[in-house]
Amino acid sequence: MPNLRDVLTQASQNGVAVGHFNIADFSLLKAVFAAAYELKVPVIVGASEGERKFLGARQLAALVRSLREEFDFPIFLNADHTHTLASAVEAAKAGYDAIVFDLSALPLDENARQTKEAVEVLKAINPSILIEGEIGDIGTGSEIHDEVPDLSKGLTDPEEAKRYFAASNIDILSPAVGNMHGMVKSMVQGKTKKRLDLARIAKIKSATGALLTLHGASGTDDDDMRKAIDAGINIIHINTELRIAWRQGLDASLTKHPQEVVPYKILPAAIDAIKEVAASRLKLFNKLA
């Protein structure tokens, strides 16, 4: 079984990106795994601090490990948007393949200093774990917002990215390039799309040579995502689109079966809806469609 670094390196050589999907319950994990397994493409599942608190950091690691071992399939686990060293250490000890150590709210130099210290601690626990750092402002909350926040002042500068990447000793860099956590109502309705600063992505890639992650990709224009991969994006995060599919699938199932109380009879409709979205994104990222 290849490790995550090998998978990302191979994807980069093939000109594709690895899909990353946040999971908050077993229905989401089941759906994302099924989509990746059928398409025969590697996949990363992630859980934020809140999602790990709900699921259990060690319990989630055990579930993902069981799928990897039983099916001999490259599914990897990421501790998404981890804001404290204690939480990062917990994930590293639980066997996570990657950690997003997110101190992007701090000034760049302080972010780099604390992140470097965290990298040393986490690599001592597991030398093969990949640590991702983030600079710039992409907003907060993978939810439906009333309006698009003005994130123009928080875009990542390529030269600052170069300095941060070198100073922090991270493996993966997460920049702000027009991406945004969550979606607005017009995006949910399909009336508008997020647009990316493709030239900025290319400049950051050239300046750093780093593996790059696109967070907050839900609702992004498909062609922009294709071009972002060509410009150097290696991992693409989808969360809000899955949450919407989960809710819509569950609502439809409860409406169709108002008297049903058996979870394993109610939830398959939600799983099917999530799987459809995950499959469409994986086809796009792997240039299968």
Side-chain angles (χ1 to χ4, degrees):
M1 178 65 65
N3 61 32
L4 181 54
R5 184 183 294 278
D6 293 336
V7 166
L8 292 171
T9 299
Q10 187 62 55
S12 180
Q13 292 172 354
N14 293 342
V16 300
V18 178
H20 175 293
F21 303 90
N22 280 67
I23 54 174
D25 69 5
F26 186 65
S27 298
L28 285 149
L29 174 59
K30 189 178 179 72
V32 169
F33 177 77
Y37 189 74
E38 287 184 12
L39 292 171
K40 296 181 173 56
V41 295
V43 69
I44 304 169
V45 291
S48 66
E49 288 182 327
E51 289 163 336
R52 299 197 303 272
K53 182 177 180 181
F54 178 74
L55 277 165
R58 292 177 61 187
Q59 288 70 32
L60 178 54
L63 284 170
V64 173
R65 186 164 53 249
S66 70
L67 289 171
R68 186 187 309 177
E69 292 173 355
E70 179 179 351
F71 295 91
D72 191 28
F73 190 81
I75 179 172
F76 302 96
L77 180 58
N78 174 51
D80 200 16
H81 293 293
T82 302
H83 301 287
T84 68
L85 182 56
S87 184
V89 166
E90 178 186 38
K93 289 182 175 179
Y96 283 55
D97 302 286
I99 296 173
V100 179
F101 194 66
D102 181 5
L103 300 183
S104 57
L106 296 177
L108 186 139
D109 290 337
E110 184 62 18
N111 179 352
R113 185 188 68 79
Q114 291 192 33
T115 299
K116 181 181 180 181
E117 292 176 356
V119 168
E120 292 172 356
V121 171
L122 299 170
K123 295 276 188 179
I125 297 170
N126 176 9
S128 65
I129 198 168
L130 299 185
I131 309 301
E132 179 177 326
E134 182 172 316
I135 57 174
D137 183 8
I138 58 174
T140 60
S142 295
E143 52 200 34
I144 300 172
H145 305 293
D146 291 328
E147 57 185 24
V148 179
D150 181 11
L151 303 175
S152 59
K153 294 180 181 178
L155 295 174
T156 300
D157 176 77
E159 287 305 311
E160 288 189 346
K162 181 179 181 179
R163 190 171 91 241
Y164 171 77
F165 184 69
S168 60
N169 285 348
I170 55 174
D171 302 288
I172 306 169
L173 175 66
S174 168
V177 290
N179 45 329
M180 180 196 82
H181 278 129
M183 298 167 65
V184 295
K185 294 176 181 178
S186 60
M187 293 173 187
V188 177
Q189 297 163 352
K191 296 178 180 178
T192 61
K193 295 286 185 181
K194 297 176 190 174
R195 304 306 299 260
L196 303 174
D197 189 334
L198 300 167
R200 188 178 298 271
I201 295 171
K203 289 177 181 177
I204 292 170
K205 189 73 170 187
S206 176
T208 64
L211 293 167
L212 298 180
T213 296
L214 183 71
H215 284 259
S218 291
T220 300
D221 178 77
D222 282 2
D223 196 47
D224 270 21
M225 283 203 275
R226 293 188 189 96
K227 291 177 179 176
I229 295 168
D230 292 339
I233 291 294
N234 305 104
I235 304 170
I236 301 180
H237 281 227
I238 299 290
N239 190 356
T240 311
E241 288 182 12
L242 295 193
R243 290 179 170 183
I244 292 168
W246 175 88
R247 175 61 186 262
Q248 291 177 343
L250 183 61
D251 282 348
S253 184
L254 291 171
T255 299
K256 186 176 181 179
H257 308 287
Q259 302 304 315
E260 186 58 75
V261 296
V262 181
Y264 65 76
K265 294 182 179 180
I266 296 170
L267 291 172
I271 292 170
D272 288 344
I274 298 161
K275 180 183 172 185
E276 183 178 349
V277 172
S280 71
R281 300 294 88 186
L282 286 170
K283 289 177 182 176
L284 177 66
F285 304 158
N286 288 277
K287 298 183 178 178
L288 300 175

